[in-house]
Amino acid sequence: MNNIELSEKIGAYLKGSKAKAKKFKELVAVHFNLLDVSENMYIEVKDGAVSVMPYEYIDKQATVTASTETLDKLFSGALSMDDAIANGYVKVEGDIEKFKALAALIPAAKVEKDAAMAPAKKACAKKPAAKKEAAPKAEAKPAAKSKK
């Protein structure tokens, strides 16, 4: 994936973030160096609008170096910024808080969605047990009918 494809993909991930972007009181300008394609892109949040472009940002506040795969996972919500930094998936130069501010624009993490679904799965597992108890009663009725 090149910088144009990645910037379009990330732009699509962040498309629903307009309301969140309006809460940004300061400019956020983060430049990304893409390791695997030797290209760059940037994300800017300014005046309540998010721009994702496949170009170099001259007056950047932070520069992030990472692979396209890592950035895709990061902005899709599959990888958290803290994990990406802690595990060395990204290298941040400049104002790391500006990079972390972009986390507010990222859709809810898939991990969080899976965790939210886990209790529902457990609840579903309990319901069939209750149905099993009801099943013998249902079987008893047809058996009673066959005796008639």
Side-chain angles (χ1 to χ4, degrees), residues 15-16 22 34 36 43 45 48 57 63 67 82-83 93 98 100 103 116 120 125 127 129 133 137 141 147:
K15 187 176 182 178
K22 289 180 181 180
L34 310 176
D36 45 341
I43 299 176
V45 183
Y57 198 95
T63 299
S67 69
D82 290 334
D83 287 345
E93 297 174 12
K98 295 295 183 177
K100 287 183 173 184
K127 288 180 182 178
E133 292 173 11
K137 291 178 185 176
K141 288 180 183 178
K147 289 180 182 179

Side-chain angles (χ1 to χ4, degrees), residues 30-138:
V30 180
H31 174 83
F32 296 89
N33 289 324
L34 310 176
L35 289 172
D36 45 341
V37 292
S38 298
E39 296 176 329
N40 50 50
M41 59 172 275
Y42 72 83
I43 299 176
E44 175 191 66
V45 183
K46 181 179 179 182
D47 300 327
V50 179
S51 299
V52 183
M53 297 291 175
Y55 309 113
E56 181 176 359
Y57 198 95
I58 304 299
D59 296 327
K60 56 197 164 258
Q61 298 163 323
T63 299
V64 177
T65 303
S67 69
T68 56
E69 179 183 0
T70 297
L71 292 176
D72 183 31
K73 287 180 181 179
L74 191 68
F75 287 98
S76 72
L79 176 66
S80 76
M81 289 204 175
D82 290 334
D83 287 345
I85 293 167
N87 293 315
Y89 295 129
V90 298
K91 179 183 174 188
V92 183
E93 297 174 12
D95 190 347
I96 195 167
E97 294 305 316
K98 295 295 183 177
F99 171 61
K100 287 183 173 184
L102 295 175
L105 303 175
I106 297 173
K110 290 179 182 177
V111 174
E112 291 174 9
K113 287 180 184 175
D114 291 343
M117 293 299 289
K121 289 180 182 177
K122 288 180 183 176
C124 291
K126 291 179 183 176
K127 288 180 182 178
K131 288 180 183 177
K132 287 180 183 177
E133 292 173 11
K137 291 178 185 176

Side-chain angles (χ1 to χ4, degrees), residues 16-35:
S17 301
K18 291 179 182 179
K20 294 176 184 177
K22 289 180 181 180
K23 295 179 183 178
F24 280 62
K25 298 193 186 307
E26 297 178 8
L27 168 74
V28 173
V30 180
H31 174 83
F32 296 89
N33 289 324
L34 310 176
L35 289 172

